Amino acid sequence: MARTIEQEDYPQADRASGCPHPRDVYHLLGHADAEARIAAQINSGHLHHALLINGPKGVGKATFAYRIIRKVLGGAPQTDGRLDVPENDPIASRVASLGHGDFLLLRPPYDFKLKKLRKEIVVSELRRLNDFFAHKPSEGGWRVCLIDSADDLNISAANALLKTLEEPPANALLILLSSESGRLLPTIRSRCLNLTLREVPKPDITVWLTRQGVVEKTAHIAAELSRGAPGKAFALAQSEASVLRPLADILSPQFLRSTAQDHRLAGALAPIGAATDRELFWDSLTDLISAQARYSATGEWSSAFGPMQLARPTQFWLDLRARLTALRRAEAGVNMDKTVTMLSVFSALRGEAA
């Protein structure tokens, strides 16, 4: 079958680099209570017209959403009380190819002229939603729109969405995904059924990763750094050479004694194409600094890597974490040289003056 433009290998806002698209994932790790709640609503015929699925990045929000979508559009689950429509179900195939006439996906689009992803979902996309919901379901059931993610709506688009939520059409389901639902308009949140997906236990993530072919040691480290998000753990495992090994390097005694590796490590994370690895590196490094602060205060270590052999008071690590957070925000808001920023981070880790 010929590939559609949606299936081509260009960046997609709703797909993490190096990870399978959530439309192609049929196993949900964790979140059994949330799934049972929605399955019961669907089976009873009393499904809320708008769902807000929130939780940290990589926790499984989109995977969960597509399970709901397949079931609502007529897919047949394999298990009572579940949403596990199999991959070979005709509905699943049409949703995966974005070829189902009663399903609409809204996400920040890829600008083929500028060759980059747009950062926002603009109001013109919401006009597509209104046009979509203006028509009756083509197959006599539901029309479903997924917004991935609501965090990307600009203010005009958010206000347009609110009008749809205030006057929902019949047999229409709107699913919003959010990693920062507190930043959404309160009026949007109040008109949705809120489903919060909690962290998945790290041992469960480790087992799951090993079943995906990840070696046990890497799976353990990735799970520990994942903040309970399976998708993030998978991305970390896929980025072992570009993220996990550099983290190990900067925690080694050799790093503290020499700056020889600084430019190589910083340069590897600077290119535009390394944006995902850089984000994973920032997150993991911040978590490790937090672990160092707890270790210096309590003597208890809680990370996959060993503590840095650097005798510093707790306040040093707290100040360092604040400094790294400020650097990261400045880098995101200003066109800063990413190599220079990372070199500043390495200098700060050694306790050198700013």
Side-chain angles (χ1 to χ4, degrees):
M1 184 175 69
R3 300 177 75 193
T4 68
I5 193 169
E6 292 287 354
Q7 296 170 299
E8 295 299 332
D9 297 325
Y10 63 88
Q12 299 177 58
D14 56 343
R15 176 183 179 180
S17 177
C19 296
H21 196 287
R23 288 198 302 274
D24 300 322
V25 177
Y26 290 83
H27 174 72
L28 180 67
L29 185 61
H31 319 308
D33 290 345
E35 175 161 348
R37 180 182 182 185
I38 295 302
Q41 287 194 7
I42 296 172
N43 292 335
S44 69
H46 295 94
L47 180 63
H48 199 283
H49 69 275
L51 307 178
L52 173 58
I53 304 174
N54 61 84
K57 290 182 179 180
V59 79
K61 299 185 297 296
T63 298
F64 182 35
Y66 279 106
R67 290 169 75 84
I68 297 171
I69 291 163
R70 296 180 197 115
K71 168 61 176 172
V72 168
L73 291 177
Q78 301 172 96
T79 311
D80 289 340
R82 295 286 303 278
L83 304 171
D84 53 342
V85 176
E87 186 175 0
N88 61 3
D89 187 292
I91 296 295
S93 300
R94 291 164 64 194
V95 170
S97 65
L98 296 179
H100 197 296
D102 289 328
F103 172 54
L104 175 67
L105 170 63
L106 296 185
R107 56 185 174 174
Y110 183 75
D111 190 319
F112 287 94
K113 184 176 181 180
L114 297 177
K115 296 184 178 180
K116 66 177 183 179
L117 282 167
R118 295 181 183 175
K119 295 183 178 180
E120 296 180 327
I121 298 175
V122 297
V123 71
S124 60
E125 293 293 292
L126 270 294
R127 296 191 187 105
R128 291 178 58 208
L129 170 61
N130 293 334
D131 291 342
F132 175 72
F133 278 158
H135 295 85
K136 293 182 179 180
S138 61
E139 299 183 19
W142 290 74
R143 302 215 102 186
V144 183
C145 175
L146 172 65
I147 299 182
D148 189 0
S149 78
D151 302 333
D152 297 318
L153 294 165
N154 67 18
I155 189 62
S156 297
N159 286 323
L161 174 64
L162 184 57
K163 294 179 181 178
T164 301
L165 290 171
E166 289 171 342
E167 300 178 5
N171 296 325
L173 173 62
L174 184 61
I175 303 177
L176 313 179
L177 307 186
S178 175
S179 298
E180 301 176 280
S181 60
R183 298 178 61 184
L184 300 179
L185 292 174
T187 42
I188 288 179
R189 298 199 305 269
S190 67
R191 285 167 171 78
C192 298
L193 173 65
N194 285 268
L195 296 163
T196 300
L197 302 190
R198 307 296 181 185
E199 294 183 1
V200 176
K202 292 173 183 176
D204 293 352
I205 297 176
T206 301
V207 171
W208 173 73
L209 286 175
T210 57
R211 289 174 178 168
Q212 312 304 309
V214 179
V215 298
E216 188 171 356
K217 181 179 179 181
T218 300
H220 173 69
I221 293 172
E224 285 294 317
L225 294 173
S226 70
R227 301 182 184 177
K232 184 173 184 178
F234 186 86
L236 283 163
Q238 297 302 304
S239 301
E240 180 179 11
S242 53
V243 177
L244 298 185
R245 290 178 190 168
L247 283 171
D249 287 343
I250 68 172
L251 294 174
S252 68
Q254 291 85 353
F255 173 84
L256 296 176
R257 293 194 295 265
S258 171
T259 62
Q261 296 185 82
D262 286 16
H263 283 275
R264 178 180 62 81
L265 293 175
L269 293 167
I272 294 176
T276 299
D277 286 347
R278 190 177 183 83
E279 183 176 357
L280 291 170
F281 184 88
W282 272 114
D283 282 350
S284 300
L285 183 58
T286 302
D287 290 349
L288 288 169
I289 296 304
S290 297
Q292 287 281 164
R294 289 191 295 271
Y295 177 68
S296 65
T298 67
E300 297 179 0
W301 183 247
S302 57
S303 178
F305 294 105
M308 291 183 72
Q309 302 304 308
L310 186 64
R312 298 289 185 182
T314 302
Q315 192 59 47
F316 168 83
W317 299 111
L318 295 175
D319 291 344
L320 179 59
R321 183 179 63 187
R323 183 175 171 188
L324 263 60
T325 300
L327 274 171
R328 187 176 185 180
R329 287 176 178 167
E331 181 185 86
V334 183
N335 188 22
M336 297 177 65
D337 186 310
K338 291 179 171 51
T339 300
V340 172
T341 304
M342 195 58 67
L343 290 173
S344 298
V345 170
F346 296 159
S347 177
L349 279 169
R350 296 190 181 93
E352 298 169 0

